[in-house]
């Protein structure tokens, strides 16, 4: 099986690559080749049981997607995107990459011909929903994005469903919760603070909390995100019917509950490294964000999370990223 990952140098892309390299299989199939694509050079693995190519390019320029699908990868993970904060600040860039690029990719698959019909896994976002919404968003709730990013993801979902209905590809879209704790450096996502206020204090550094502690949001660990992607790549897509875009399970927690979990797992001193500096730009964005979900369809279709509590989310970070230790 040949796997192509677009956005492979990103946070989720790196985690997915690591897991696939470690397991050497996707579902029941042995991996025979992997292509890692990103606009930033993806790291070439030191050791792999199969050939791994890297492609450093912008997938959203005319002709790029055709080259990427020319060798007919069996599974395509489309993770490449401009994230929420940047897509809001740079309208043209967000639409060019998140919308035009996605359409170009899907068209490259469609036009490859010869019965080519790969599984395409697309990472959508809960930003396709906007306030006002019920306390817990069910599977029947409609798209009302309040950000350009959410609008671009919502259009991507529609394209994925239509291209799949027409038989051009076999797509599954997964609406990821906000991934927490995001490892590495902060990115330009407006949701970054949910992770920063945990990751930085655990590393002995101060972090800024730009919103109030009663802000509630929907989260999942990076370990869960990789699990969702693998399941989306291997599940029976027919079971999803025409509704191929699914809200993923997660954990609903307030910022205050996150901080309480940090105190329980790492202690008061670590939590005291959080500094409160309200930021009206971030507060304005977060105000219209979903707080809680009832992700029944995804659960019925076999998607599961790696954590049961927010304490688990913090422990997973300490285990997976910090070698089991943090700065007390
Ligand atoms: N992390 C989250 O909380 C979260 C939540 C919901 C949805 N998502 C979605 O999941 C996916 C992965 O998220 P992430 O957290 O790893 O983001 P990330 O920003 O870490 O990674 C995205 C990658 O896409 C690459 N990229 C951007 N434009 C590109 C282009 N034109 N050509 C090639 N590569 C390009 C970037 O260089 C980056 O490495 C994204 O589609 C994102 O929208 C993430």
């Amino acid at each position: 099986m040949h796997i192509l990952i677009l956005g492979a140098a990103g946070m989720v892309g790196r985690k997915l690559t690591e897991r696939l390299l470690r397991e050497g299989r996707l579902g029941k199939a042995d991996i025979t080749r992997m292509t890692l694509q990103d606009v930033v050079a993806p790291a070439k693995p030191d050791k792999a049981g199969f050939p791994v190519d890297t492609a450093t390019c912008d997938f959203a320029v005319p002709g790029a997607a055709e080259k990427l699908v020319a060798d007919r990868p069996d599974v395509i993970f489309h993770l490449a995107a401009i994230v929420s904060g940047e897509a809001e600040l740079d309208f043209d860039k967000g639409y060019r990459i998140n919308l035009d690029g996605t359409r170009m990719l899907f068209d490259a698959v469609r036009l490859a011909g010869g019965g080519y019909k790969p599984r395409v896994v697309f990472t959508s976002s809960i930003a396709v929903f906007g306030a006002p919404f019920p306390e817990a968003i069910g599977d029947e709730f409609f798209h009302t994005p309040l950000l350009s990013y959410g609008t671009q993801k919502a259009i991507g979902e529609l394209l994925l469903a239509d291209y799949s209905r027409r038989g051009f590809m076999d797509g599954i879209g997964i609406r990821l919760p906000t991934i927490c704790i995001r490892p590495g450096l902060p990115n330009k996502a407006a949701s970054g603070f949910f992770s920063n206020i945990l990751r930085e204090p655990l590393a002995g550094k101060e972090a800024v909390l730009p919103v109030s502690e009663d802000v509630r949001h929907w989260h999942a660990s990076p370990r869960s995100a990789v699990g969702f992607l693998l399941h989306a790549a291997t599940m029976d897509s027919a079971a999803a019917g025409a509704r191929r875009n699914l809200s993923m399970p997660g954990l609903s927690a307030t910022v205050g509950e996150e901080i309480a979990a940090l105190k329980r797992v790492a202690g008061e001193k670590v939590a005291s490294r959080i500094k409160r500096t309200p930021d009206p730009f971030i507060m304005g964005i977060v105000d219209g964000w979903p707080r809680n979900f009832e992700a029944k369809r995804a659960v019925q279709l076999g998607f599961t999370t790696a954590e049961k509590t927010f304490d688990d989310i913090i422990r997973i970070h300490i285990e997976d990223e910090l070698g089991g230790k943090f700065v007390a």
Side-chain angles (χ1 to χ4, degrees), residues 185-226:
L185 297 172
N187 73 346
K188 290 183 183 162
S191 55
F193 69 87
F194 289 114
S195 286
N196 298 349
I197 60 164
L198 304 171
R199 184 191 57 242
E200 300 302 306
L202 287 167
K205 297 182 205 152
E206 284 194 353
V208 172
L209 173 60
V211 302
S212 75
E213 288 200 17
D214 57 12
V215 167
R216 178 174 283 284
H217 196 49
W218 188 239
H219 302 279
S221 67
R223 218 190 259 180
S224 290
V226 170

Side-chain angles (χ1 to χ4, degrees), residues 10-12 38-39 58-59 79 81 123-124 149 153 179 182:
M11 185 270 283
V12 176
D38 202 297
V39 74
D58 179 347
F59 83 102
L79 315 178
T123 41
S124 185
Y149 170 78
K153 291 288 189 187
I179 304 306
R182 184 185 174 87

Side-chain angles (χ1 to χ4, degrees), residues 114-290:
Y116 179 51
K117 196 176 168 187
R119 173 64 54 90
V120 178
V121 178
F122 169 59
T123 41
S124 185
S125 162
I126 56 175
V128 299
F129 303 114
F133 30 55
E135 214 22 66
I137 298 176
D139 290 314
E140 313 308 323
F141 198 64
F142 47 90
H143 285 19
T144 43
L146 295 176
L147 287 177
S148 296
Y149 170 78
T151 306
Q152 293 144 13
K153 291 288 189 187
I155 300 171
E157 288 192 8
L158 289 174
L159 292 174
L160 175 133
D162 197 41
Y163 280 52
S164 297
R165 182 185 64 82
R166 297 290 297 253
F168 305 143
M169 62 188 209
D170 181 12
I172 293 287
I174 58 172
R175 294 181 199 116
L176 291 177
T178 291
I179 304 306
C180 192
I181 298 172
R182 184 185 174 87
L185 297 172
N187 73 346
K188 290 183 183 162
S191 55
F193 69 87
F194 289 114
S195 286
N196 298 349
I197 60 164
L198 304 171
R199 184 191 57 242
E200 300 302 306
L202 287 167
K205 297 182 205 152
E206 284 194 353
V208 172
L209 173 60
V211 302
S212 75
E213 288 200 17
D214 57 12
V215 167
R216 178 174 283 284
H217 196 49
W218 188 239
H219 302 279
S221 67
R223 218 190 259 180
S224 290
V226 170
F228 299 154
L229 287 164
L230 298 182
H231 187 63
T234 52
M235 65 183 270
D236 173 13
S237 58
R243 298 186 178 184
R244 287 171 169 264
N245 295 286
L246 301 157
S247 295
M248 291 294 104
L251 266 178
S252 173
T254 63
V255 169
E257 286 163 356
E258 271 191 53
I259 296 172
L262 183 65
K263 286 181 184 165
R264 279 193 297 275
V265 175
E268 293 279 345
K269 189 172 162 212
V270 171
S272 72
R273 295 179 189 136
I274 302 169
K275 305 295 162 212
R276 283 136 181 95
T277 312
D279 178 334
F281 176 70
I282 302 282
M283 282 159 85
I285 290 184
V286 169
D287 235 14
W289 276 1

Side-chain angles (χ1 to χ4, degrees), residues 85-100:
E86 193 175 5
E88 203 56 16
L89 292 171
D90 192 336
F91 183 89
D92 289 313
K93 189 174 182 187
Y95 272 88
R96 184 181 75 75
I97 294 171
N98 295 347
L99 174 57
D100 301 343

